[in-house]
PDB file of all heavy atoms in Angstrom:
ATOM      1  N   ILE O 450     115.725  98.215  88.550  1.00 92.00           N
ATOM      2  CA  ILE O 450     116.352  98.687  87.307  1.00 92.00           C
ATOM      3  C   ILE O 450     115.359  98.821  86.145  1.00 92.00           C
ATOM      4  O   ILE O 450     115.364  99.825  85.420  1.00 92.00           O
ATOM      5  CB  ILE O 450     117.491  97.747  86.890  1.00 92.00           C
ATOM      6  CG1 ILE O 450     118.620  97.802  87.970  1.00 92.00           C
ATOM      7  CG2 ILE O 450     118.062  98.122  85.516  1.00 92.00           C
ATOM      8  CD1 ILE O 450     119.699  96.732  87.777  1.00 92.00           C
ATOM      9  N   PHE O 451     114.493  97.857  85.999  1.00 92.00           N
ATOM     10  CA  PHE O 451     113.704  97.758  84.758  1.00 92.00           C
ATOM     11  C   PHE O 451     112.262  98.235  84.858  1.00 92.00           C
ATOM     12  O   PHE O 451     111.599  98.461  83.836  1.00 92.00           O
ATOM     13  CB  PHE O 451     113.675  96.318  84.249  1.00 92.00           C
ATOM     14  CG  PHE O 451     115.038  95.814  83.856  1.00 92.00           C
ATOM     15  CD1 PHE O 451     115.700  94.871  84.618  1.00 92.00           C
ATOM     16  CD2 PHE O 451     115.668  96.278  82.698  1.00 92.00           C
ATOM     17  CE1 PHE O 451     116.956  94.376  84.250  1.00 92.00           C
ATOM     18  CE2 PHE O 451     116.903  95.827  82.324  1.00 92.00           C
ATOM     19  CZ  PHE O 451     117.548  94.881  83.112  1.00 92.00           C
ATOM     20  N   PHE O 452     111.727  98.457  86.079  1.00 91.00           N
ATOM     21  CA  PHE O 452     110.311  98.819  86.167  1.00 91.00           C
ATOM     22  C   PHE O 452     110.116 100.340  85.996  1.00 91.00           C
ATOM     23  O   PHE O 452     110.647 101.137  86.790  1.00 91.00           O
ATOM     24  CB  PHE O 452     109.708  98.408  87.521  1.00 91.00           C
ATOM     25  CG  PHE O 452     108.233  98.678  87.626  1.00 91.00           C
ATOM     26  CD1 PHE O 452     107.323  97.848  87.046  1.00 91.00           C
ATOM     27  CD2 PHE O 452     107.802  99.834  88.272  1.00 91.00           C
ATOM     28  CE1 PHE O 452     105.953  98.111  87.129  1.00 91.00           C
ATOM     29  CE2 PHE O 452     106.450 100.111  88.349  1.00 91.00           C
ATOM     30  CZ  PHE O 452     105.528  99.244  87.784  1.00 91.00           C
ATOM     31  N   LYS O 453     109.398 100.710  84.965  1.00 89.00           N
ATOM     32  CA  LYS O 453     109.030 102.099  84.724  1.00 89.00           C
ATOM     33  C   LYS O 453     107.619 102.102  84.165  1.00 89.00           C
ATOM     34  O   LYS O 453     107.275 101.291  83.266  1.00 89.00           O
ATOM     35  CB  LYS O 453     109.971 102.748  83.707  1.00 89.00           C
ATOM     36  CG  LYS O 453     111.430 102.806  84.146  1.00 89.00           C
ATOM     37  CD  LYS O 453     112.316 103.445  83.067  1.00 89.00           C
ATOM     38  CE  LYS O 453     113.764 103.507  83.490  1.00 89.00           C
ATOM     39  NZ  LYS O 453     114.374 102.162  83.617  1.00 89.00           N
ATOM     40  N   THR O 454     106.765 102.997  84.631  1.00 87.00           N
ATOM     41  CA  THR O 454     105.396 103.012  84.152  1.00 87.00           C
ATOM     42  C   THR O 454     104.764 104.357  84.391  1.00 87.00           C
ATOM     43  O   THR O 454     105.257 105.197  85.125  1.00 87.00           O
ATOM     44  CB  THR O 454     104.575 101.939  84.910  1.00 87.00           C
ATOM     45  OG1 THR O 454     103.284 101.823  84.286  1.00 87.00           O
ATOM     46  CG2 THR O 454     104.362 102.318  86.370  1.00 87.00           C
ATOM     47  N   ARG O 455     103.618 104.571  83.694  1.00 86.00           N
ATOM     48  CA  ARG O 455     102.740 105.710  83.975  1.00 86.00           C
ATOM     49  C   ARG O 455     101.604 105.249  84.856  1.00 86.00           C
ATOM     50  O   ARG O 455     101.235 104.080  84.859  1.00 86.00           O
ATOM     51  CB  ARG O 455     102.172 106.273  82.668  1.00 86.00           C
ATOM     52  CG  ARG O 455     103.225 106.756  81.682  1.00 86.00           C
ATOM     53  CD  ARG O 455     102.613 107.745  80.706  1.00 86.00           C
ATOM     54  NE  ARG O 455     101.308 107.346  80.218  1.00 86.00           N
ATOM     55  CZ  ARG O 455     101.079 106.679  79.082  1.00 86.00           C
ATOM     56  NH1 ARG O 455     102.108 106.275  78.349  1.00 86.00           N
ATOM     57  NH2 ARG O 455      99.854 106.407  78.700  1.00 86.00           N
ATOM     58  N   TYR O 456     101.001 106.165  85.586  1.00 85.00           N
ATOM     59  CA  TYR O 456      99.836 105.854  86.432  1.00 85.00           C
ATOM     60  C   TYR O 456      98.593 106.124  85.591  1.00 85.00           C
ATOM     61  O   TYR O 456      98.022 107.218  85.628  1.00 85.00           O
ATOM     62  CB  TYR O 456      99.845 106.704  87.712  1.00 85.00           C
ATOM     63  CG  TYR O 456     101.075 106.525  88.545  1.00 85.00           C
ATOM     64  CD1 TYR O 456     101.547 107.543  89.363  1.00 85.00           C
ATOM     65  CD2 TYR O 456     101.808 105.322  88.532  1.00 85.00           C
ATOM     66  CE1 TYR O 456     102.685 107.383  90.151  1.00 85.00           C
ATOM     67  CE2 TYR O 456     102.937 105.150  89.318  1.00 85.00           C
ATOM     68  CZ  TYR O 456     103.379 106.184  90.136  1.00 85.00           C
ATOM     69  OH  TYR O 456     104.497 106.016  90.885  1.00 85.00           O
ATOM     70  N   ARG O 457      98.155 105.110  84.885  1.00 83.00           N
ATOM     71  CA  ARG O 457      97.116 105.299  83.855  1.00 83.00           C
ATOM     72  C   ARG O 457      95.745 105.597  84.455  1.00 83.00           C
ATOM     73  O   ARG O 457      94.985 106.393  83.887  1.00 83.00           O
ATOM     74  CB  ARG O 457      97.041 104.041  82.976  1.00 83.00           C
ATOM     75  CG  ARG O 457      98.321 103.854  82.184  1.00 83.00           C
ATOM     76  CD  ARG O 457      98.308 102.599  81.328  1.00 83.00           C
ATOM     77  NE  ARG O 457      99.479 102.609  80.474  1.00 83.00           N
ATOM     78  CZ  ARG O 457      99.547 103.205  79.289  1.00 83.00           C
ATOM     79  NH1 ARG O 457      98.479 103.840  78.834  1.00 83.00           N
ATOM     80  NH2 ARG O 457     100.621 103.166  78.569  1.00 83.00           N
ATOM     81  N   ARG O 458      95.411 104.984  85.586  1.00 78.00           N
ATOM     82  CA  ARG O 458      94.098 105.225  86.167  1.00 78.00           C
ATOM     83  C   ARG O 458      94.054 106.660  86.725  1.00 78.00           C
ATOM     84  O   ARG O 458      93.050 107.366  86.556  1.00 78.00           O
ATOM     85  CB  ARG O 458      93.811 104.227  87.297  1.00 78.00           C
ATOM     86  CG  ARG O 458      92.462 104.414  87.970  1.00 78.00           C
ATOM     87  CD  ARG O 458      92.102 103.291  88.884  1.00 78.00           C
ATOM     88  NE  ARG O 458      93.067 103.118  89.957  1.00 78.00           N
ATOM     89  CZ  ARG O 458      92.930 102.193  90.923  1.00 78.00           C
ATOM     90  NH1 ARG O 458      91.875 101.389  90.908  1.00 78.00           N
ATOM     91  NH2 ARG O 458      93.830 102.082  91.874  1.00 78.00           N
ATOM     92  N   LEU O 459      95.090 107.111  87.388  1.00 80.00           N
ATOM     93  CA  LEU O 459      95.134 108.482  87.899  1.00 80.00           C
ATOM     94  C   LEU O 459      95.136 109.491  86.762  1.00 80.00           C
ATOM     95  O   LEU O 459      94.508 110.551  86.847  1.00 80.00           O
ATOM     96  CB  LEU O 459      96.372 108.672  88.770  1.00 80.00           C
ATOM     97  CG  LEU O 459      96.383 107.909  90.108  1.00 80.00           C
ATOM     98  CD1 LEU O 459      97.669 108.129  90.848  1.00 80.00           C
ATOM     99  CD2 LEU O 459      95.203 108.332  90.993  1.00 80.00           C
TER     100      LEU O 459
END
Side-chain angles (χ1 to χ4, degrees):
I450 295 171
F451 296 109
F452 184 80
K453 299 179 180 67
T454 189
R455 300 202 317 265
Y456 301 152
R457 295 178 172 275
R458 181 170 60 177
L459 291 177

